[in-house]
Amino acid sequence: DVQMTQSPSNLAASPGESVSINCKASKSISKYLAWYQQKPGKANKLLIYSGSTLQSGTPSRFSGSGSGTDFTLTIRNLEPEDFGLYYCQQHNEYPWTFGGGTKLELK
Amino acid sequence: EVQLVESGGGLVQPGASLKLSCVASGFTFSDYWMSWVRQTPGKTMEWIGDIKYDGSYTNYAPSLKNRFTISRDNAKSTLYLQMSNVRSEDTATYYCTRDDGTYYEGHWFAYWGQGTLVTVSS
């Protein structure tokens, strides 16, 4: 199985700031990485797939980059609704696997 | 609007069986692969398995293959997860997802339900 390692586990920031969340795969997954947002009381939301393709409805302040084993989710100009849990998931090979999550908290 | 509504969770004893359901609406259910994903109380997310749009093929996480079975009824737009011989480590919130992607790009989880909590305890 492809192991996905996310960092940091926790991140504190203020509205208006920019943050980056990293995801590292144990082997090359080409560009095939997705990012999700989880917030209490809401269905999980797909943000980005194939490394950098924004899902319809994802605000342009979100961006994804990387290929091979190293990927980054960047959120520019944080909005209050951006705080929550973020997960990466590789979709290069079965079984699909997730990172351990990053909790983005209000500073 | 895509909606996925899971049900069937609850408190179950170790060694028992349980069947979860997920009713889909807002899209043509029979056109999509579907998956089950679970999240432990510690927030670890784990893909359980998926099923082809016509129900003819399934894939599973190797560690769960022998105890979990995914099926679907396209006439009822419903996805199922049959869990057998459950263990305490199966305690989790179980989500159904609509999968997007292709054979070449793999699958990502475009839509999620709100989840149903399964607690395994005596």
Side-chain angles (χ1 to χ4, degrees), chain A residues 41-52:
Chain A
K42 292 192 172 184
N44 295 340
K45 183 180 178 184
L46 170 69
L47 299 171
I48 287 168
Y49 60 92
S50 293
S52 60

Side-chain angles (χ1 to χ4, degrees), chain A residues 6-75:
Chain A
Q6 259 182 264
S7 62
S9 300
N10 295 281
L11 184 56
S14 301
E17 292 183 344
S18 295
V19 297
S20 292
I21 298 170
N22 301 301
C23 190
K24 188 174 185 68
S26 61
K27 60 186 277 191
S28 177
I29 56 170
S30 186
K31 64 176 181 177
Y32 299 120
L33 188 91
W35 291 97
Y36 302 89
Q37 180 191 64
Q38 183 177 64
K39 298 184 70 173
K42 292 192 172 184
N44 295 340
K45 183 180 178 184
L46 170 69
L47 299 171
I48 287 168
Y49 60 92
S50 293
S52 60
T53 303
L54 265 61
Q55 172 72 346
S56 175
T58 300
S60 59
R61 62 181 181 275
F62 289 87
S63 64
S65 63
S67 65
T69 60
D70 294 289
F71 297 82
T72 301
L73 172 70
T74 300
I75 312 171

Side-chain angles (χ1 to χ4, degrees), chain B residues 46-99:
Chain B
E46 180 180 25
W47 174 76
I48 295 169
D50 61 17
I51 185 166
K52 193 175 179 181
Y53 42 82
D54 60 0
S56 64
Y57 196 74
T58 51
N59 296 288
Y60 296 95
S63 62
L64 300 173
K65 184 175 183 177
N66 294 332
R67 297 189 297 117
F68 289 11
T69 302
I70 297 173
S71 60
R72 65 192 295 162
D73 184 337
N74 284 348
K76 295 182 178 179
S77 294
T78 302
L79 178 72
Y80 302 101
L81 177 65
Q82 178 71 52
M83 305 167 60
S84 62
N85 190 23
V86 296
R87 308 164 180 168
S88 58
E89 53 264 38
D90 295 323
T91 294
T93 297
Y94 287 73
Y95 298 97
C96 75
T97 73
R98 193 192 89 176
D99 295 8

Side-chain angles (χ1 to χ4, degrees), chain A residues 87-107:
Chain A
Y87 290 92
C88 61
Q89 173 241 332
Q90 64 84 16
H91 55 92
N92 184 63
E93 63 181 65
Y94 279 110
W96 318 128
T97 48
F98 291 86
T102 294
K103 188 174 185 179
L104 176 58
E105 298 177 294
L106 186 62
K107 188 187 287 182

